Amino acid sequence: MKSELESVIEKVQKLLRLAESQNEYEAQSAVIKARSLMAKHKLSMNDIQEKEDKVVQGETEKMRSPWKRTLAHVIAKHFRCKTYLRHWGNSYRVIFLGLEEDVELTSIVYKQVVNIINISSRRKRLDRKSYAIGFIQGLDKKLKEQSIKMKNENEEEYALVAVMPVPVIKKYNEIEKGFSGDFKGKGIDQEQIDYNSYINGREDGLNYSKDKEIQEKAI
């Protein structure tokens, strides 16, 4: 007979498999639910699968859109990763720096949210840039509220999933010290924003998670 902890680990493993789903909302919600369960039961990715605990780098696709860069920065900070830019001519990639499991989760969430923004803005016939800015701000607000709630309920759980690991900070400082050129890039120009698209995006960013449906599928 399985112990309660073994059952929880299996559930987290199922959620992480769902994170690879082609359904953007399902995948995004699966990552957040897995994160919550791991915090509640004080599990690390090493408890879920054997991996060497080390600082690694991941990267996005080549991009020119400032909203994608902002999205990458916002998601990374909520999943214990640092970011910087690597240029390729007129385009660049955002580099994620963190522990291996955190970089993997950050990359999954980033890709899925980019898909949500692209598909939803096109389907609703909204201005993509304005929709993206709203979505990113809504998502950032939701994740901040989640972290505050977690910190108030249990400091240890908060430290497990939300506090930036010291090795990551040290490595980032080393890279930043020797970096020449544009390290983070300029912010998004918000002067020409379509208000309706922005509001739609913000609402979707605040309500992207479907934890109940994901939890049922993982049982």
Side-chain angles (χ1 to χ4, degrees):
M1 185 174 179
K2 295 179 184 177
S3 67
E4 180 183 355
L5 184 59
E6 287 174 332
S7 296
V8 170
I9 289 175
E10 282 193 3
K11 184 177 289 188
V12 172
Q13 290 172 335
K14 289 180 181 179
L15 285 165
L16 291 178
R17 284 196 290 272
L18 279 175
E20 300 176 0
S21 168
Q22 294 300 310
N23 184 304
E24 298 88 355
Y25 292 95
E26 181 179 86
Q28 176 78 350
S29 298
V31 172
I32 298 301
K33 184 61 181 178
R35 182 184 182 213
S36 177
L37 281 174
M38 290 171 68
K40 181 179 180 180
H41 295 277
K42 298 180 174 62
L43 296 171
S44 69
M45 284 299 292
N46 287 332
D47 297 314
I48 309 303
Q49 55 186 7
E50 295 183 3
K51 286 188 176 181
E52 183 181 354
D53 195 33
K54 60 181 180 180
V55 178
V56 301
Q57 296 183 14
E59 61 182 32
T60 64
E61 76 285 8
K62 288 183 181 180
M63 65 174 76
R64 293 184 181 181
S65 302
W67 68 262
K68 287 187 178 181
R69 183 182 65 233
T70 300
L71 174 65
H73 293 330
V74 167
I75 291 175
K77 73 178 180 181
H78 287 293
F79 288 88
R80 309 196 314 169
C81 290
K82 291 285 192 178
T83 57
Y84 64 94
L85 299 183
R86 183 173 292 161
H87 287 269
W88 269 270
N90 294 326
S91 62
Y92 50 82
R93 299 178 190 266
V94 175
I95 307 301
F96 299 126
L97 182 74
L99 299 184
E100 188 171 3
E101 60 268 21
D102 294 328
V103 170
E104 288 181 1
L105 288 175
T106 298
S107 297
I108 289 172
V109 175
Y110 168 77
K111 290 176 183 177
Q112 294 300 337
V113 174
V114 167
N115 285 337
I116 291 172
I117 290 172
N118 286 334
I119 293 172
S120 295
S121 61
R122 182 170 61 249
R123 186 181 69 246
K124 297 179 180 181
R125 297 182 180 180
L126 299 171
D127 176 69
R128 182 172 300 175
K129 172 186 170 183
S130 303
Y131 178 86
I133 293 172
F135 193 103
I136 293 166
Q137 291 184 1
L139 178 62
D140 189 29
K141 185 175 187 295
K142 185 180 182 71
L143 293 177
K144 282 178 180 177
E145 290 173 349
Q146 183 186 56
S147 293
I148 291 171
K149 181 180 179 182
M150 187 184 299
K151 185 175 183 179
N152 290 338
E153 291 178 349
N154 191 311
E155 287 278 355
E156 291 183 1
E157 290 182 6
Y158 174 78
L160 180 66
V161 300
V163 175
M164 190 72 65
V166 173
V168 176
I169 297 174
K170 289 183 177 179
K171 184 64 176 179
Y172 178 81
N173 289 340
E174 289 176 5
I175 294 173
E176 185 177 28
K177 186 176 181 180
F179 200 93
S180 61
D182 190 5
F183 195 67
K184 290 189 176 181
K186 299 178 181 179
I188 301 175
D189 179 9
Q190 300 191 27
E191 290 184 2
Q192 296 181 336
I193 296 297
D194 177 72
Y195 185 72
N196 180 56
S197 299
Y198 168 83
I199 291 300
N200 269 271
R202 182 174 172 81
E203 187 69 20
D204 287 350
L206 286 167
N207 297 287
Y208 76 100
S209 182
K210 296 183 179 179
D211 287 345
K212 182 179 180 181
E213 292 82 357
I214 294 302
Q215 184 177 13
E216 289 175 352
K217 290 183 180 181
I219 294 176

